[in-house]
Amino acid sequence: MKVLKFGGTSVANAQNISLVKDIVATCATDKCIIIVSALGGVTDTLLNAADLSSKKDERYKTVLKEIEKRHLDTVKSLIPIHGQSTVLSKIKSELNTLEDLLEGAFLIGEITPQLSDKIVSYGEMLSSYIISEYFQHQQLNAAHVDSRTLIVTNEVNEKAAVNFKITNTNCQKFFSETPHKIIVAGGFIASSENGNPTTLGRGGSDFTAAIIAAAVNAEVLQIWTDVSGMYTANPKLVKQAKAIPNISYEEAMELSHFGAKVLYPPTIQPVLSKGISLEIKNTFRPEDKGTLITKSQNEKGKTVRGISHVENIALLSLEGPGMVGIPGISKRFFEVLSQAEISVVLITQASSEHSICVGISADDIDKAVQIVNNAFEYEIERGKIKPVIAEKNLAIIALVGDNMKSHQGLSGKMFSTLGKNNVNIRVIAQGASERNISAVIKKDDVKKALNALHEEFFEENIKQLNLFVMGVGNVGAKFLNQVCQQKKYLKENLKLNIRVIGLSNSRTMVFDEGGIPLKNWEDTLASGEKANKEQFFEKVNQLNYRNSIFVDNTASAEVSTTYNSYLGNSISVVTCNKIACSSEYSNYQELKSLARTYNAPFLFETNVGAGLPIIDTLKHLIASGDKILKIQAVLSGSLNFVFNNFNDQTSFHDVVKQAQEEGYTEPDPKIDLSGVDVMRKILILARESGNQLEIDDIENKSFLPQESLDTDNNDDFFASLVKYEGYFQKLYADAVAKESKLKYVAQFEEGKASVGLQEIPKGHDFYNLEGSDNIVLFYTERYPNQPMIIKGAGAGADVTASGIFADIIRIGNF
C-alpha cells in the first residue's frame, strides 16, 4: 500500500488536478491512499474571511463568493456535465453551512479557536470530495473518506495532539475493509474524541499522510509538491542547487528544521518510527527522480548533504556576572519563554556561564524582551543581570550531514568561506551529534552566504566571479570580448565561472542578475537606465554577491574616488586607471589597507606596462626578501610608438595623431606626451617597492613646448604640434647625429625619481626597443649588476584588456 500526498500547488486548479490524476493512475495497481490539501491559497482565503467577519466587516461576503466560485469552476472544469449536478449540490450545501458559520462570527464579532478550526477545515473537505468525484468520472476505482472520521485528537484547537491509539485502530479497520483501490482524504483536518472539528497545525497535510502511512504500515509515503525533491540549498536563491537523491531521516529533519520548506519536521516522525521510506516528488515533473528519505542514506562518503537557512530570526541574550555558578538561571530563562509559547530555534552559552543566547522568531522578540526582563526584574535592579539584549534582522544558516562528524576541518572551511566574503557570524552552534553546524548572520547576507557555501561544498570547486564593469571604450570593449571568448575555457580548465552582472559607460548602465549576454552587450547597455556612479555602487552593494569584482576601465578621476566604497564593502577592485594609485600617498595607503581589512583584492597590474607582469614581479621580489636599488624603464608605449615612428620623413603631429587613433594614447594625448602618465607609473613602482613618494617629488623634464603644455583641448594641442614641427625635427636630428634614439625614460634611485626624454646610444638595453613596447630594468640586491628585465607590448587596448583579465583570474585563484 502506498500513501501519496499532494500539496496546495499540486491541486491549485483543474489543470493541476488532471496531472495528479495521471500520477495516481500509474500507481493504482495496488491500493493507494491519496491525501490532498485545500486548493492552492484557499486556506489563507478562509482565514481572511473569518478575520473580516469577526471584525464585522461585510467584505467577508465577497471573499466567500470568491471561495464559492473557485470550487464551482473547478467542478465544472473537471467533471462532465451529466455528472455535475450531484457534486455541485453537495458543494453548495457545504458552502451554505460555511456561510452560516461566518455569519455567526459576524454577529458575535469574534472568532473562537474552535470556530476557526471549523471554518478552515472546509478547504480540505471540499478539495478531497471534488478530487475523489473527478477520479471516479475518470474510471478510477476511487472513493472519498472524511479524515475527521479517522484521525482523533485532543480538544486543543488549531494544533491538536493526535490520539494515535484510536487513530491507528480507525485507519487499520477502514483501509483493510474498503474495497476501493484509491481512497481520497483531506489532509490537515481531524476531530476530537467528542466529535468537534480540529486541525493539525502547520504542515498538517503532510502530518495526516504520515499518520495514515504509519497506521497502515505503508510501503512508501510520497510527498508530491512543486519541486523535485530536497535540494542542496534553496534553488530560488542558489541557481546551482540540485536535488539530493538519497538522504537519511535525521538529515531531512535537520534540513527541514532549518528552513527547507518542502517538509515540516514533525511530519516525518510517524514514518520514521516505522522505518517507512519517504519520497519527495514533483507533480509537474513526475519523471524526475526526486529525493528518497530512508533510515540510512546510501551515498557513503558524502559529508555536507545540504545547506539550509531560516530567515526572520532575532537573538535574545541574557548576561551578567550574577549568572556565574548560580543554579536555575537557565531553567527560569527557558521556562518563561516556554510559558509564553515562544519557540527557541537555536541555543548557545558561554563556557563561563556569563551569558546565554537564543535564537527565536523575530515576530516574538518584543514580547520575549518584556517577559524575560520582568522575570529577572529583581536581578536586573541589583546589577547582577543586565537587561536582556535583542538583535534583529538576522538569519540562521546551517550545514547538514550525517557524516560530518567523521571529517575534520568542516567548521573551519565553513567559517573561512564566510569570512572571505565578509559575512560576519554573530553566533555559532553545533550539536553533539555533529550533524549540524549553524551560524547566525545578517539577513541581508543570506543569499551571498548560501551561494558561497554551496560553491565551496557542492560545485566541484567551480568558483563564480561576479563582475561589475565601468567603462566600455577601447579597453572595456576588448575586455568584454575576451571574457566572452574565454568563458567556456575558464570554466572547464580553471574552474572559474565569470558573469558580468553590471555594465556602465558615461551615458547608461544596466544590471542583470542572471548575467549580461556578452554577445550583444552593446544593445543591452544602450537600453539601460541613465548612468550614475553612486547608484551603480549602491546597486552592486545591494546585490551583495560573493566574489564581487568592480572593474574600472576608465581614466576618470571621479570613478577612482569610489574605490574605497567598494573595498570597504568586500568588493574587489581591478583597474587600469592609474589615478588612484598615483594620488596622495595617504589615499594609496588607505586603499591598500581597506583591501587587507576586508579581504578584497585591489589589483592594478595594468597601471604599469599594460599586460606585462611588472607590478606582480615587483611584488614577488619584495615578498621574497629582495630590495630594489634602482629602476630604469621606458614605461610609455604611446611615447615609444611616437618616437619609433617619427623621423625626418614624417611630421610629429601625424605620428601623435596615428598613436591616438590606434589606441596607444589616453583620450587626451597630452597626458602621455607631457610625461604625467609616466610620472604616475614610476610613482606606483616606487610605492610598490616600499617607498613613500608623492607625484610632486618626481622631476619631470618635459620635451614639449610650454605653449603645448598650456593648451586645454585636443584641437589646440594638435595645432601647437604643427606650429613647433621644426623644434621636434631638431630633437630627432640631434639624436641621429649622435647615433642615438629618442626614448622617454623613467628612473628611480635612492628615493628620487625623474622622467624625461633621453638620447639612448647603441648597445643600451633601450636602444632596440620597437613599436609600443615597454621595458623595465630592476636593479636589486640579488640583481645588482645585470638587472632583471621585463620587456614587451606596453600599450594598446588588447594587451591592456588582457592584463585586466589576468588580474581577475588572479582573484579567482586566491
Side-chain angles (χ1 to χ4, degrees):
M1 186 181 293
K2 294 181 179 179
V3 178
L4 286 68
K5 178 265 175 176
F6 293 89
T9 53
S10 298
V11 295
N13 50 52
Q15 181 181 356
N16 292 2
I17 293 171
S18 68
L19 297 177
V20 170
K21 182 267 297 179
D22 293 338
I23 293 166
V24 172
T26 63
C27 73
T29 53
D30 193 8
K31 186 171 284 187
C32 293
I33 303 169
I34 312 301
I35 309 298
V36 297
S37 297
L39 304 185
V42 165
T43 299
D44 287 339
T45 309
L46 285 164
L47 289 170
N48 183 35
D51 181 59
L52 290 171
S53 63
S54 70
K55 295 175 179 176
K56 293 186 172 292
D57 187 335
E58 291 198 354
R59 285 182 297 170
Y60 84 87
K61 295 178 181 178
T62 303
V63 176
L64 181 60
K65 289 286 186 185
E66 292 173 6
I67 294 170
E68 180 179 20
K69 184 177 187 302
R70 178 91 179 271
H71 288 87
L72 296 181
D73 286 349
T74 301
V75 171
K76 292 172 184 176
S77 298
L78 289 175
I79 296 175
I81 294 175
H82 66 268
Q84 288 180 8
S85 59
T86 302
V87 181
L88 291 174
S89 176
K90 169 72 173 175
I91 298 298
K92 288 178 180 178
S93 174
E94 294 291 351
L95 289 171
N96 286 338
T97 306
L98 173 61
E99 184 178 14
D100 291 341
L101 294 173
L102 291 169
E103 186 177 353
F106 180 85
L107 292 173
I108 64 174
E110 69 171 328
I111 286 282
T112 64
Q114 186 177 21
L115 181 55
S116 177
D117 270 359
K118 284 183 180 180
I119 292 171
V120 81
S121 66
Y122 276 83
E124 276 72 15
M125 286 165 50
L126 295 173
S127 68
S128 58
Y129 172 70
I130 292 170
I131 291 168
S132 69
E133 290 293 320
Y134 169 58
F135 285 176
Q136 292 172 44
H137 281 86
Q138 291 295 312
Q139 308 305 313
L140 296 179
N141 184 8
H144 177 252
V145 62
D146 189 336
S147 300
R148 294 174 296 181
T149 65
L150 301 176
I151 299 176
V152 178
T153 70
N154 61 10
E155 293 288 345
V156 176
N157 290 105
E158 298 180 340
K159 192 177 181 181
V162 176
N163 184 324
F164 282 97
K165 184 176 180 180
I166 299 175
T167 298
N168 289 345
T169 300
N170 290 347
C171 291
Q172 290 161 9
K173 184 175 187 301
F174 175 82
F175 290 111
S176 65
E177 294 177 355
T178 183
H180 299 283
K181 286 282 191 180
I182 300 168
I183 302 94
V184 181
F188 180 59
I189 57 177
S191 64
S192 70
E193 293 178 39
N194 295 326
N196 295 315
T198 57
T199 56
L200 301 179
R202 180 187 163 196
S205 291
D206 285 354
F207 197 20
T208 301
I211 291 166
I212 293 176
V216 301
N217 287 310
E219 169 194 345
V220 65
L221 167 59
Q222 295 181 341
I223 305 291
W224 290 83
T225 181
D226 57 357
V227 292
S228 298
M230 299 193 81
Y231 277 69
T232 49
N234 185 337
K236 292 180 180 178
L237 298 178
V238 181
K239 299 277 193 242
Q240 295 78 21
K242 49 193 174 184
I244 306 169
N246 304 91
I247 194 171
S248 73
Y249 289 127
E250 291 78 7
E251 289 170 329
M253 289 182 75
E254 291 281 359
L255 285 172
S256 298
H257 177 69
F258 284 98
K261 293 183 172 60
V262 72
L263 270 185
Y264 184 54
T267 67
I268 303 176
Q269 193 61 46
V271 292
L272 186 153
S273 61
K274 288 289 188 77
I276 297 170
S277 298
L278 179 65
E279 285 186 278
I280 310 297
K281 300 280 286 179
N282 190 338
T283 304
F284 309 100
R285 300 184 62 176
E287 70 281 1
D288 288 357
K289 185 176 179 181
T291 297
L292 176 64
I293 305 171
T294 57
K295 190 170 184 179
S296 59
Q297 52 88 12
N298 298 319
E299 291 186 281
K300 298 297 181 185
K302 293 284 185 180
T303 52
V304 178
R305 306 304 310 285
I307 307 167
S308 200
H309 76 287
V310 184
E311 292 188 1
N312 199 36
I313 290 293
L315 285 181
L316 191 70
S317 300
L318 185 70
E319 60 181 65
M323 293 173 60
V324 180
I326 305 298
I329 295 289
S330 298
K331 175 181 179 295
R332 289 170 59 196
F333 182 49
F334 292 112
E335 191 170 61
V336 72
L337 294 175
S338 175
Q339 289 171 350
E341 297 185 344
I342 295 175
S343 179
V344 174
V345 183
L346 175 144
I347 304 168
T348 182
Q349 182 171 10
S351 58
S352 65
E353 301 182 23
H354 183 264
S355 68
I356 305 171
C357 182
V358 298
I360 63 175
S361 169
D363 296 335
D364 294 327
I365 190 65
D366 293 333
K367 176 182 177 183
V369 168
Q370 182 178 354
I371 62 174
V372 173
N373 280 339
N374 289 341
F376 290 92
E377 184 177 6
Y378 177 82
E379 290 85 352
I380 292 172
E381 286 179 353
R382 283 153 184 77
K384 294 182 178 182
I385 292 179
K386 299 177 183 178
V388 73
I389 300 169
E391 297 176 65
K392 300 180 182 180
N393 298 316
L394 301 172
I396 298 173
I397 193 161
L399 296 188
V400 173
D402 279 342
N403 294 330
M404 284 166 52
K405 60 186 176 184
S406 57
H407 286 74
Q408 293 77 27
L410 284 177
S411 298
K413 196 174 181 182
M414 175 185 181
F415 302 141
S416 173
T417 300
L418 295 176
K420 285 178 182 176
N421 286 277
N422 199 36
V423 176
N424 187 43
I425 299 172
R426 272 295 295 115
V427 167
I428 298 166
Q430 182 169 7
S433 68
E434 298 185 35
R435 187 178 288 119
N436 174 308
I437 306 171
S438 304
V440 177
I441 63 174
K442 285 197 306 183
K443 186 169 65 175
D444 292 342
D445 285 335
V446 163
K447 186 175 181 179
K448 178 163 69 171
L450 283 174
N451 279 277
L453 290 172
H454 195 275
E455 185 176 80
E456 184 68 36
F457 288 101
F458 291 102
E459 295 177 32
E460 300 178 355
N461 296 321
I462 292 180
K463 188 174 186 179
Q464 183 168 291
L465 303 180
N466 298 297
L467 308 188
F468 300 88
V469 180
M470 188 166 286
V472 291
N474 286 340
V475 173
K478 296 289 185 183
F479 167 70
L480 293 173
N481 291 337
Q482 289 175 14
V483 172
C484 182
Q485 178 184 328
Q486 291 299 104
K487 189 175 178 68
K488 183 178 178 182
Y489 173 87
L490 292 175
K491 192 168 185 177
E492 291 178 354
N493 294 276
L494 298 184
K495 304 299 181 186
L496 295 176
N497 181 25
I498 295 182
R499 303 188 311 169
V500 176
I501 306 296
L503 199 56
S504 178
N505 58 18
S506 59
R507 298 176 300 280
T508 58
M509 64 183 187
V510 66
F511 290 87
D512 187 337
E513 295 186 40
I516 295 170
L518 294 184
K519 289 186 177 179
N520 59 343
W521 63 264
E522 295 98 331
D523 295 336
T524 304
L525 182 58
S527 61
E529 60 185 298
K530 185 177 180 181
N532 181 296
K533 62 181 175 54
E534 287 80 15
Q535 290 176 9
F536 190 88
F537 163 72
E538 287 171 7
K539 180 67 174 179
V540 176
N541 199 37
Q542 176 193 338
L543 287 172
N544 199 22
Y545 282 150
R546 86 275 193 206
N547 306 325
S548 290
I549 305 173
F550 174 63
V551 182
D552 179 16
N553 296 318
T554 75
S556 166
E558 284 188 18
V559 174
S560 73
T561 63
T562 65
Y563 295 172
N564 57 352
S565 297
Y566 286 99
L567 295 171
N569 284 276
S570 294
I571 298 164
S572 302
V573 173
V574 171
T575 181
C576 59
N577 187 340
K578 293 175 280 290
I579 295 175
C581 289
S582 59
S583 62
E584 291 81 3
Y585 184 78
S586 58
N587 184 56
Y588 163 82
Q589 281 289 79
E590 181 188 5
L591 293 175
K592 302 279 277 191
S593 175
L594 286 170
R596 289 190 297 271
T597 302
Y598 293 97
N599 195 35
F602 174 41
L603 300 184
F604 42 89
E605 183 66 71
T606 49
N607 277 196
V608 181
L612 295 176
I614 295 171
I615 294 176
D616 197 49
T617 301
L618 178 57
K619 286 180 178 178
H620 286 309
L621 287 172
I622 301 297
S624 66
D626 204 353
K627 184 178 179 181
I628 302 297
L629 303 177
K630 182 169 69 171
I631 301 173
Q632 284 187 315
V634 173
L635 294 174
S636 174
S638 53
L639 281 170
N640 202 42
F641 177 89
V642 167
F643 285 109
N644 278 333
N645 287 277
F646 175 56
N647 54 49
D648 55 2
Q649 303 300 311
T650 62
S651 75
F652 192 74
H653 166 277
D654 291 347
V655 173
V656 173
K657 195 71 174 176
Q658 180 186 355
Q660 184 194 41
E661 290 170 353
E662 294 187 17
Y664 290 120
T665 71
E666 299 286 350
D668 177 1
K670 189 172 69 174
I671 294 174
D672 295 282
L673 271 69
S674 67
V676 170
D677 189 60
V678 179
M679 291 171 69
R680 289 172 176 163
K681 291 175 179 178
I682 194 65
L683 175 64
I684 291 168
L685 291 182
R687 287 176 171 178
E688 289 294 297
S689 303
N691 296 276
Q692 183 172 338
L693 211 66
E694 299 288 357
I695 192 79
D696 293 338
D697 297 330
I698 301 173
E699 183 183 3
N700 183 1
K701 305 168 185 175
S702 178
F703 68 91
L704 284 177
Q706 190 61 44
E707 185 176 335
S708 299
L709 291 172
D710 291 340
T711 58
D712 56 11
N713 60 71
N714 283 355
D715 290 341
D716 290 346
F717 177 72
F718 279 110
S720 74
L721 299 186
V722 173
K723 179 178 179 179
Y724 287 96
E725 178 64 23
Y727 163 75
F728 296 122
Q729 288 293 341
K730 185 175 186 307
L731 289 176
Y732 173 76
D734 289 347
V736 170
K738 299 174 185 176
E739 296 186 338
S740 298
K741 290 184 177 180
L742 294 172
K743 303 291 179 186
Y744 201 86
V745 177
Q747 181 164 313
F748 175 75
E749 186 176 13
E750 295 182 350
K752 295 182 179 180
S754 64
V755 299
L757 193 64
Q758 294 184 16
E759 296 172 343
I760 304 299
K762 286 183 178 179
H764 194 282
D765 289 312
F766 296 168
Y767 185 83
N768 291 315
L769 197 63
E770 300 295 333
S772 61
D773 285 1
N774 279 191
I775 185 170
V776 177
L777 311 181
F778 286 128
Y779 292 87
T780 74
E781 289 181 345
R782 294 176 189 157
Y783 300 90
N785 300 315
Q786 295 297 323
M788 175 180 283
I789 301 176
I790 301 171
K791 178 182 176 183
D798 268 322
V799 291
T800 303
S802 70
I804 292 167
F805 205 166
D807 272 348
I808 289 167
I809 293 171
R810 284 189 185 94
I811 292 176
N813 291 328
F814 279 172

